[in-house]
Amino acid sequence: MSTAAPAARAVAIIGMGCRFPDAGHPAALWHNLLAGKQSFTEIPADRWRHERFFSTTARELDKTYVHRGAFLDQVDQFPALTFGIAPRRLAVMDPQHRLVLDAVRTALQDAGLEKAAFARRTTGTFIGISSSEYRSLLGA
């Protein structure tokens, strides 16, 4: 029985996609980082009624004491038919799932693989996502 370590495999990142405030793609994110840009804005009125949840006391339950945040623009703009998603399904789909699908599409375009037939067993897609509060909102 051999105890030798398995041979290392080369990994190449060939495409990237992302959505950040003021940065809809990796080059814009990199530019903002280099420029030291802060992408915080007043809380948009279409997100929630901020005055209802605001408190000057940081420890008050179910309240916020901040006026600014980092928000994605046009999260309601999604090419559903590009992905074969019916409008009724889209209405109950978590916005983060839409963002992930769009970011993956962007990464595949960036890699030149959007329409290419490639070896699926040697290609991986790795995704990072941070929260899922939309599920709670739908259940309320």
Side-chain angles (χ1 to χ4, degrees):
M1 188 161 149
S2 174
T3 59
R9 296 190 137 210
V11 174
I13 297 172
I14 59 171
M16 294 178 67
C18 68
R19 284 283 302 269
F20 289 98
D22 292 330
H25 53 85
L29 175 63
W30 185 244
H31 173 72
N32 290 349
L33 290 171
L34 290 176
K37 182 175 184 180
Q38 294 187 11
S39 297
F40 294 93
T41 61
E42 295 295 320
I43 297 169
D46 64 342
R47 295 300 174 105
W48 65 79
R49 291 190 304 199
H50 179 63
E51 70 283 352
R52 187 174 182 188
F53 299 101
F54 179 75
S55 172
T56 56
T57 307
R59 295 185 182 266
E60 191 170 346
L61 292 176
D62 298 326
K63 299 286 184 175
T64 181
Y65 63 95
V66 298
H67 287 288
R68 298 171 62 79
F71 298 92
L72 295 177
D73 293 328
Q74 301 175 339
V75 293
D76 58 337
Q77 304 297 312
F78 178 73
L81 295 179
T82 300
F83 295 97
I85 299 171
R88 290 191 340 186
R89 173 70 182 128
L90 184 65
V92 296
M93 186 177 182
D94 189 323
Q96 290 189 91
H97 294 163
R98 298 190 302 249
L99 291 169
V100 165
L101 285 172
D102 202 43
V104 169
R105 181 178 58 88
T106 301
L108 291 172
Q109 287 173 337
D110 186 47
L113 297 174
E114 183 181 29
K115 297 184 190 256
F118 52 91
R120 290 185 180 156
R121 63 187 174 87
T122 60
T123 303
T125 303
F126 300 90
I127 300 169
I129 197 163
S130 63
S131 63
S132 62
E133 67 273 0
Y134 194 72
R135 177 176 30 140
S136 301
L137 291 173
L138 281 177

